[in-house]
Amino acid sequence: DIQLTQSPSFLSASVGDRVTITCRASQGISSYLAWYQQKPGKAPKLLIYAASTLQSGVPSRFSGSGSGTEFTLTISSLQPEDFATYYCQQLNSYPPTFGQGTKVEIK
Amino acid sequence: QVTLRESGPALVKPTQTLTLTCTFSGFSLSTSGMCVSWIRQPPGKALEWLALIDWDDDKYYSTSLKTRLTISKDTSKNQVVLTMTNMDPVDTATYYCARKGVVRDAFDIWGQGTMVTVSS
């Protein structure tokens, strides 16, 4: 199975901050990577697919980049509604594994 | 509008078999490229992918759980069913179903999830 490692696991930031989350794959996955946002008690929400394509309706302050084994999710200016847990997922091969999550909290 | 809804028992006993149903609307699982997957999340923990079935009835399972899982579909009823045998307290989790559509290589629509507790 392909392992995904997210860093950091926990992030404390202020409104307006630029935030970057990294996802590293144990082997190359081309651009078959998605990012999800999950708020407490809610289902995950797709933010980005194909490493850098913004899902319809997602604010443009979210962006993704990378290919191969290293990927990043960037929030250009953190908003109050962005405090949540973020997961990456690889869809290059089965099983489509998830990262362990990055919790973004208010500083 | 695409929606998915999970249903099943809230409580199961250890060693029992869990059967969950995902009922969906707004798309057809007979459309080429369409898939439905199950994912779970123990309380306070990360997402764990379980199984997927595609339009062509191909099935894929978690490496660690494949001996306990069976996924099936009823296209006429717009349902996908997951069974998990030999339930254990560590299987206590919220179970989600999600669609993997044709255009986006990702799980673009999720159900609200159903919490399953395993306890005697």
Side-chain angles (χ1 to χ4, degrees), chain A residues 20-103:
Chain A
T20 299
I21 299 169
T22 297
C23 178
R24 289 188 173 87
S26 59
Q27 61 190 79
I29 58 170
S30 185
S31 295
Y32 292 100
L33 190 98
W35 290 97
Y36 302 88
Q37 176 194 67
Q38 187 180 33
K39 296 182 179 179
K42 300 294 187 181
K45 171 189 171 184
L46 176 64
L47 296 176
I48 287 169
Y49 61 96
S52 60
T53 303
L54 204 63
Q55 169 72 335
S56 175
V58 173
S60 59
R61 63 180 178 272
F62 291 92
S63 63
S65 65
S67 67
T69 61
E70 187 151 337
F71 302 85
T72 58
L73 172 70
T74 300
I75 310 172
S76 60
S77 177
L78 200 64
Q79 298 302 300
E81 59 269 31
D82 301 336
F83 291 95
T85 301
Y86 294 85
Y87 293 93
C88 58
Q89 182 196 27
Q90 66 83 16
L91 296 105
N92 180 73
S93 61
Y94 287 101
T97 42
F98 290 93
Q100 84 278 14
T102 296
K103 187 174 185 178

Side-chain angles (χ1 to χ4, degrees), chain A residues 1-2 89-90 93-98, chain B residues 18 20 35-40 48-54 56-73 80-85 95 107:
Chain A
D1 295 6
I2 296 174
Q89 182 196 27
Q90 66 83 16
S93 61
Y94 287 101
T97 42
F98 290 93
Chain B
L18 171 68
L20 295 173
C35 309
V36 171
S37 192
W38 285 93
I39 303 102
R40 73 178 179 179
E48 179 183 19
W49 180 81
L50 298 177
L52 179 145
I53 190 165
D54 72 13
D56 205 24
D57 210 36
D58 290 322
K59 301 160 187 175
Y60 303 88
Y61 295 102
S62 160
T63 303
S64 60
L65 293 169
K66 60 184 175 184
T67 60
R68 299 173 53 205
L69 296 173
T70 303
I71 192 169
S72 62
K73 64 182 173 74
V80 171
V81 174
L82 181 76
T83 62
M84 180 180 291
T85 61
Y95 287 76
F107 297 161

